[in-house]
Short mmCIF file of all heavy atoms in Angstrom, two decimals:
data_model
loop_
_atom_site.label_atom_id
_atom_site.label_comp_id
_atom_site.label_asym_id
_atom_site.label_seq_id
_atom_site.Cartn_x
_atom_site.Cartn_y
_atom_site.Cartn_z
N VAL G 4 -6.12 -3.75 9.05
CA VAL G 4 -7.46 -3.13 8.59
C VAL G 4 -8.09 -2.07 9.64
O VAL G 4 -7.68 -2.06 10.66
CB VAL G 4 -8.44 -4.15 8.22
CG1 VAL G 4 -8.04 -5.08 7.18
CG2 VAL G 4 -8.79 -4.93 9.51
N ASP G 5 -9.08 -1.37 9.04
CA ASP G 5 -9.65 -0.36 9.91
C ASP G 5 -10.40 -1.13 11.09
O ASP G 5 -10.94 -2.08 10.80
CB ASP G 5 -10.82 0.41 9.08
CG ASP G 5 -10.14 1.41 8.11
OD1 ASP G 5 -9.27 2.13 8.58
OD2 ASP G 5 -10.52 1.42 6.99
N MET G 33 13.75 18.34 -8.40
CA MET G 33 13.21 18.28 -9.83
C MET G 33 13.90 17.09 -10.56
O MET G 33 13.19 16.33 -11.14
CB MET G 33 13.34 19.59 -10.63
CG MET G 33 13.08 19.60 -12.04
SD MET G 33 13.42 21.12 -12.72
CE MET G 33 14.44 20.72 -14.11
N ASP G 34 15.21 17.04 -10.48
CA ASP G 34 15.87 16.03 -11.26
C ASP G 34 15.57 14.58 -10.73
O ASP G 34 15.79 13.62 -11.55
CB ASP G 34 17.44 16.20 -11.08
CG ASP G 34 17.85 17.40 -12.05
OD1 ASP G 34 17.09 17.61 -13.16
OD2 ASP G 34 18.94 17.97 -11.82
N MET G 36 12.66 13.65 -9.23
CA MET G 36 11.25 13.45 -9.17
C MET G 36 10.77 12.22 -10.12
O MET G 36 10.23 11.28 -9.70
CB MET G 36 10.51 14.64 -9.39
CG MET G 36 9.00 14.32 -9.44
SD MET G 36 8.34 13.80 -7.93
CE MET G 36 8.11 15.14 -6.87
N SER G 43 8.95 4.11 -7.65
CA SER G 43 7.83 3.80 -6.83
C SER G 43 6.85 2.86 -7.53
O SER G 43 6.27 2.05 -6.98
CB SER G 43 7.16 5.15 -6.42
OG SER G 43 5.86 5.00 -6.06
N THR G 45 7.63 0.86 -9.75
CA THR G 45 8.30 -0.42 -9.94
C THR G 45 8.11 -1.23 -8.69
O THR G 45 7.75 -2.44 -8.72
CB THR G 45 9.73 -0.23 -10.10
OG1 THR G 45 10.03 0.67 -11.14
CG2 THR G 45 10.46 -1.63 -10.50
N PRO G 55 6.90 -18.79 -5.16
CA PRO G 55 6.55 -20.00 -4.52
C PRO G 55 7.15 -20.13 -3.13
O PRO G 55 8.30 -19.79 -2.99
CB PRO G 55 6.93 -21.20 -5.50
CG PRO G 55 7.98 -20.60 -6.34
CD PRO G 55 7.68 -18.94 -6.44
N ILE G 56 6.50 -20.69 -2.22
CA ILE G 56 7.06 -20.88 -0.93
C ILE G 56 6.24 -22.19 -0.35
O ILE G 56 5.11 -21.99 -0.08
CB ILE G 56 6.90 -19.69 0.04
CG1 ILE G 56 7.24 -20.07 1.46
CG2 ILE G 56 5.56 -19.08 0.04
CD1 ILE G 56 7.51 -18.97 2.40
N GLY G 57 6.93 -23.22 -0.38
CA GLY G 57 6.28 -24.49 0.08
C GLY G 57 5.20 -24.79 -0.94
O GLY G 57 5.41 -24.60 -2.19
N PHE G 91 -7.97 1.48 -4.79
CA PHE G 91 -8.39 0.80 -6.00
C PHE G 91 -8.40 -0.82 -5.90
O PHE G 91 -8.99 -1.54 -6.59
CB PHE G 91 -7.32 1.16 -7.21
CG PHE G 91 -7.62 2.57 -7.54
CD1 PHE G 91 -6.55 3.52 -7.06
CD2 PHE G 91 -8.76 3.09 -8.13
CE1 PHE G 91 -6.74 4.84 -7.48
CE2 PHE G 91 -8.90 4.38 -8.36
CZ PHE G 91 -7.76 5.26 -8.11
N PHE G 92 -7.74 -1.36 -4.91
CA PHE G 92 -7.68 -2.70 -4.67
C PHE G 92 -8.52 -3.12 -3.44
O PHE G 92 -8.85 -4.33 -3.18
CB PHE G 92 -6.31 -3.49 -4.52
CG PHE G 92 -5.55 -3.26 -5.84
CD1 PHE G 92 -4.46 -2.54 -5.86
CD2 PHE G 92 -5.96 -4.06 -7.01
CE1 PHE G 92 -3.70 -2.50 -7.01
CE2 PHE G 92 -5.22 -4.00 -8.06
CZ PHE G 92 -4.05 -3.19 -8.17
N ALA G 159 -5.30 -8.71 23.99
CA ALA G 159 -5.92 -9.91 23.28
C ALA G 159 -5.20 -10.24 21.97
O ALA G 159 -5.42 -11.35 21.50
CB ALA G 159 -7.42 -9.49 23.11
N PRO G 162 -1.28 -13.10 21.19
CA PRO G 162 -0.97 -14.45 20.45
C PRO G 162 -1.00 -14.19 18.95
O PRO G 162 -0.11 -14.77 18.28
CB PRO G 162 -2.23 -15.33 20.82
CG PRO G 162 -2.71 -14.72 22.13
CD PRO G 162 -2.53 -13.26 22.04
N ALA G 185 19.05 -9.06 -6.15
CA ALA G 185 18.83 -7.71 -6.82
C ALA G 185 19.97 -6.83 -6.61
O ALA G 185 20.24 -6.10 -7.60
CB ALA G 185 17.51 -7.16 -6.26
N ARG G 193 24.18 -1.02 -12.70
CA ARG G 193 24.02 0.33 -12.44
C ARG G 193 24.32 0.69 -10.98
O ARG G 193 23.43 1.13 -10.25
CB ARG G 193 22.53 0.82 -12.76
CG ARG G 193 22.25 0.98 -14.29
CD ARG G 193 23.12 1.99 -14.95
NE ARG G 193 22.94 3.40 -14.37
CZ ARG G 193 22.18 4.32 -14.80
NH1 ARG G 193 21.33 4.09 -15.94
NH2 ARG G 193 22.04 5.48 -14.47
N ALA G 210 24.59 11.03 -17.81
CA ALA G 210 24.45 10.64 -19.22
C ALA G 210 23.75 11.72 -20.12
O ALA G 210 22.56 11.96 -19.82
CB ALA G 210 23.70 9.38 -19.36
N ARG P 71 -13.19 -8.89 -3.89
CA ARG P 71 -12.10 -8.16 -3.61
C ARG P 71 -12.06 -7.87 -2.07
O ARG P 71 -11.08 -7.92 -1.47
CB ARG P 71 -12.20 -6.77 -4.37
CG ARG P 71 -10.90 -5.98 -4.29
CD ARG P 71 -10.99 -4.91 -5.38
NE ARG P 71 -10.75 -5.32 -6.68
CZ ARG P 71 -10.54 -4.63 -7.65
NH1 ARG P 71 -10.70 -3.28 -7.63
NH2 ARG P 71 -10.12 -5.18 -8.98
N THR P 89 -8.93 -15.29 22.91
CA THR P 89 -7.92 -14.53 23.63
C THR P 89 -8.53 -13.45 24.36
O THR P 89 -7.90 -12.93 25.36
CB THR P 89 -6.86 -13.99 22.66
OG1 THR P 89 -7.53 -13.27 21.70
CG2 THR P 89 -6.03 -15.08 21.99
N ILE P 121 -16.02 0.07 5.71
CA ILE P 121 -15.09 1.17 5.25
C ILE P 121 -14.62 0.87 3.79
O ILE P 121 -14.53 1.63 3.00
CB ILE P 121 -13.99 1.48 6.20
CG1 ILE P 121 -14.73 2.11 7.57
CG2 ILE P 121 -12.90 2.46 5.75
CD1 ILE P 121 -13.64 2.21 8.72
N MET P 132 -13.20 6.69 -9.19
CA MET P 132 -12.66 7.72 -9.97
C MET P 132 -11.20 7.27 -10.61
O MET P 132 -10.72 6.30 -9.98
CB MET P 132 -12.40 8.95 -9.04
CG MET P 132 -11.50 8.90 -7.88
SD MET P 132 -11.32 10.42 -6.98
CE MET P 132 -12.84 10.20 -5.87
N PHE P 156 3.23 10.59 -10.97
CA PHE P 156 4.20 9.80 -11.69
C PHE P 156 4.13 8.25 -11.50
O PHE P 156 4.19 7.54 -12.44
CB PHE P 156 5.65 10.25 -11.08
CG PHE P 156 6.33 11.32 -11.91
CD1 PHE P 156 6.48 12.62 -11.39
CD2 PHE P 156 6.66 11.16 -13.25
CE1 PHE P 156 7.02 13.53 -12.04
CE2 PHE P 156 7.26 12.11 -13.99
CZ PHE P 156 7.54 13.44 -13.43
N THR P 157 3.71 7.97 -10.31
CA THR P 157 3.65 6.47 -10.00
C THR P 157 2.45 5.88 -10.69
O THR P 157 2.53 4.86 -11.35
CB THR P 157 3.36 6.42 -8.45
OG1 THR P 157 4.38 7.01 -7.78
CG2 THR P 157 3.42 4.83 -8.17
N ASN P 184 10.36 -24.28 -5.56
CA ASN P 184 11.07 -23.91 -4.28
C ASN P 184 12.47 -24.24 -4.30
O ASN P 184 12.97 -25.26 -3.87
CB ASN P 184 10.32 -24.78 -3.26
CG ASN P 184 9.10 -24.36 -2.78
OD1 ASN P 184 8.89 -23.13 -2.29
ND2 ASN P 184 8.14 -25.01 -3.08
N TYR P 189 14.61 -18.19 -6.35
CA TYR P 189 14.64 -16.99 -5.59
C TYR P 189 15.68 -15.97 -6.14
O TYR P 189 15.57 -14.81 -6.22
CB TYR P 189 14.87 -17.25 -4.22
CG TYR P 189 13.83 -18.17 -3.60
CD1 TYR P 189 14.12 -19.25 -2.68
CD2 TYR P 189 12.45 -17.79 -3.85
CE1 TYR P 189 13.14 -20.06 -2.34
CE2 TYR P 189 11.48 -18.56 -3.30
CZ TYR P 189 11.76 -19.66 -2.52
OH TYR P 189 10.86 -20.48 -2.05
N GLY P 193 15.03 -12.44 -7.85
CA GLY P 193 15.82 -11.27 -7.33
C GLY P 193 16.55 -10.40 -8.56
O GLY P 193 16.34 -9.26 -8.63
N ALA P 203 13.84 0.79 -14.93
CA ALA P 203 13.10 1.93 -14.54
C ALA P 203 13.76 3.09 -14.38
O ALA P 203 13.48 4.17 -14.79
CB ALA P 203 12.39 1.58 -13.14
N GLU P 205 16.65 3.83 -16.06
CA GLU P 205 17.03 4.30 -17.36
C GLU P 205 15.87 4.98 -18.08
O GLU P 205 16.00 5.95 -18.66
CB GLU P 205 17.57 3.10 -18.13
CG GLU P 205 18.88 2.71 -17.72
CD GLU P 205 19.42 1.33 -18.43
OE1 GLU P 205 18.56 0.68 -19.12
OE2 GLU P 205 20.66 1.12 -18.31
N GLU P 208 15.42 8.46 -16.70
CA GLU P 208 16.39 9.42 -17.32
C GLU P 208 15.89 9.98 -18.67
O GLU P 208 15.92 11.16 -18.82
CB GLU P 208 17.76 8.78 -17.46
CG GLU P 208 18.43 8.54 -16.12
CD GLU P 208 19.60 7.60 -16.14
OE1 GLU P 208 19.85 7.01 -17.25
OE2 GLU P 208 20.29 7.43 -15.18
N GLU P 212 14.69 13.86 -19.38
CA GLU P 212 15.17 14.60 -20.53
C GLU P 212 14.08 15.15 -21.42
O GLU P 212 14.08 16.24 -21.80
CB GLU P 212 16.18 13.87 -21.41
CG GLU P 212 17.54 13.76 -20.70
CD GLU P 212 18.46 12.64 -21.19
OE1 GLU P 212 18.17 12.02 -22.25
OE2 GLU P 212 19.43 12.44 -20.43
N LYS P 215 12.29 17.85 -19.75
CA LYS P 215 13.02 19.13 -19.66
C LYS P 215 12.92 19.99 -20.97
O LYS P 215 12.83 21.10 -21.17
CB LYS P 215 14.55 18.88 -19.27
CG LYS P 215 14.69 18.86 -17.81
CD LYS P 215 16.16 18.62 -17.60
CE LYS P 215 16.58 18.60 -15.98
NZ LYS P 215 17.87 18.27 -15.82
N ASP P 220 9.99 22.49 -15.13
CA ASP P 220 10.78 23.33 -14.17
C ASP P 220 10.56 22.72 -12.84
O ASP P 220 10.71 23.50 -11.83
CB ASP P 220 10.41 24.68 -14.42
CG ASP P 220 8.95 25.06 -14.03
OD1 ASP P 220 8.17 23.99 -13.89
OD2 ASP P 220 8.66 26.17 -13.97
N GLY P 221 10.00 21.54 -12.71
CA GLY P 221 9.81 20.89 -11.37
C GLY P 221 8.45 20.97 -10.95
O GLY P 221 8.09 20.56 -9.76
#
Side-chain angles (χ1 to χ4, degrees):
Chain G
V4 297
D5 286 313
M33 172 179 123
D34 279 338
M36 175 61 84
S43 157
T45 312
I56 172 168
F91 296 105
F92 293 116
R193 282 299 299 264
Chain P
R71 194 167 280 184
T89 53
I121 293 172
M132 61 181 85
F156 267 113
T157 306
N184 286 295
Y189 300 133
E205 288 174 348
E208 286 165 357
E212 280 161 14
K215 276 182 172 170
D220 61 353

